[in-house]
Amino acid sequence: AYISIEVLIALVSVPGNILVIWAVKMNQALRDATFCFIVSLAVADVAVGALVIPLAIIINIGPQTEFYSCLMVACPVLILTESSILALLAIAVDRYLRVKIPVRYKSVVTPRRAAVAIACCWIVSFLVGLTPMFGWNNLNKMRRTQELNASHTEFVIKCQFETVISMEYMVYFNFFVWVLPPLLLMLLIYLEVFNLIRKQLNKKVSSSSNDPQKYYGKELKIAKSLALVLFLFALSWLPLHVLNCITLF
């Protein structure tokens, strides 16, 4: 049942997100900073469907493998989850700037700066996701448990996520530093975005000009859609992190 659900998610997420990328590529009107960040998010989600889900199925089966080989199978999900979070954060900041400084927005959020922001998001994602490869893992703990003093290349285990990834890393570093604070920050940003839009729409009700109404009305629709994406992301991932906290504590 688990494998069937994973395969179904992959079959939906890969073509769905490819369509998002294709839509931005084909539509000149969508080629602004916001949609660059959305494309980055879509690329991460394509990779989840094409790469992470097959690896997750392998880990679920639990083959016998060398410790660091198993770790390499487990790390991509950490990288791509963090990439999704940072892309969502970049999108939230972008929407905030659009409603806070609409006149100066295009001079502040240039394509070059957007590309730099996306590159930084991916670099941070790799550093966070590959931290277990740098040593914060369960290798020493497993060796102590099994009283094994063999070299890394001879250390064969049943490959499962919890076997190689430290719960301390997942809770203290991954969740408390790189998942929960960005989600809370995004919540505050979207609350402020909706507040700014509401003030502008109320202010312009008595105005004879319809352009500000149209601009902020469009921004409100986009902000609602992106806030929904954020809500669904949190709904999908927070239960797992809560379970990790329960497991650790």
Side-chain angles (χ1 to χ4, degrees):
Y2 166 77
I3 292 174
S4 299
I5 292 169
E6 287 280 37
V7 170
L8 179 62
I9 292 171
L11 292 175
V12 172
S13 67
V14 172
N17 283 286
I18 287 174
L19 282 174
V20 171
I21 298 167
W22 178 78
V24 174
K25 182 180 186 325
M26 297 301 293
N27 193 336
Q28 190 71 34
L30 299 181
R31 293 183 190 176
D32 61 10
T34 300
F35 287 96
C36 289
F37 296 128
I38 289 174
V39 165
S40 178
L41 180 61
V43 168
D45 290 340
V46 168
V48 168
L51 175 65
V52 170
I53 286 179
L55 294 178
I57 292 171
I58 291 171
I59 285 183
N60 179 254
I61 295 170
Q64 295 290 323
T65 182
E66 191 266 328
F67 184 89
Y68 276 94
S69 297
C70 183
L71 205 55
M72 288 178 66
V73 172
C75 282
V77 67
L78 301 172
I79 295 169
L80 294 168
T81 304
E82 188 57 39
S83 173
S84 296
I85 291 170
L86 294 178
L88 288 169
L89 180 58
I91 290 167
V93 172
D94 177 72
R95 300 324 295 180
Y96 174 76
L97 292 174
R98 285 186 76 97
V99 298
K100 184 68 175 177
I101 51 168
V103 177
R104 294 191 296 119
Y105 170 78
K106 287 191 176 180
S107 62
V108 173
V109 184
T110 62
R112 180 183 177 84
R113 287 174 180 171
V116 169
I118 290 169
C120 289
C121 287
W122 279 98
I123 290 169
V124 171
S125 300
F126 271 92
L127 291 175
V128 172
L130 291 176
T131 296
M133 293 292 295
F134 302 147
W136 198 346
N137 55 54
N138 285 337
L139 179 60
N140 291 332
K141 180 181 175 182
M142 290 190 67
R143 280 185 163 163
R144 286 196 301 269
T145 302
Q146 298 187 17
E147 298 180 349
L148 186 65
N149 294 315
S151 66
H152 292 178
T153 54
E154 297 172 347
F155 192 52
V156 177
I157 58 164
K158 183 178 181 181
C159 185
Q160 292 182 321
F161 190 85
E162 297 85 355
T163 305
V164 293
I165 300 293
S166 164
M167 272 299 128
E168 286 82 3
Y169 161 82
M170 286 301 299
V171 173
Y172 292 125
F173 186 68
N174 190 278
F175 181 49
F176 286 167
V177 177
W178 293 105
V179 174
L180 190 58
L183 289 178
L184 293 174
L185 180 58
M186 281 183 268
L187 175 62
L188 294 175
I189 289 172
Y190 276 112
L191 288 174
E192 181 62 16
V193 166
F194 288 127
N195 183 48
L196 288 170
I197 292 174
R198 180 182 57 80
K199 285 181 179 178
Q200 291 296 331
L201 289 175
N202 290 339
K203 187 194 302 181
K204 300 299 179 183
V205 166
S206 59
S207 173
S208 60
S209 173
N210 290 324
D211 288 340
Q213 282 273 351
K214 185 177 180 181
Y215 177 83
Y216 286 105
K218 179 185 174 185
E219 288 300 316
L220 181 61
K221 288 180 181 179
I222 295 175
K224 283 180 178 178
S225 298
L226 295 171
L228 177 61
V229 172
L230 172 61
F231 171 76
L232 292 173
F233 184 91
L235 191 67
S236 299
W237 284 102
L238 284 180
L240 175 64
H241 287 287
V242 170
L243 285 174
N244 286 341
C245 291
I246 293 170
T247 300
L248 178 63
F249 298 135

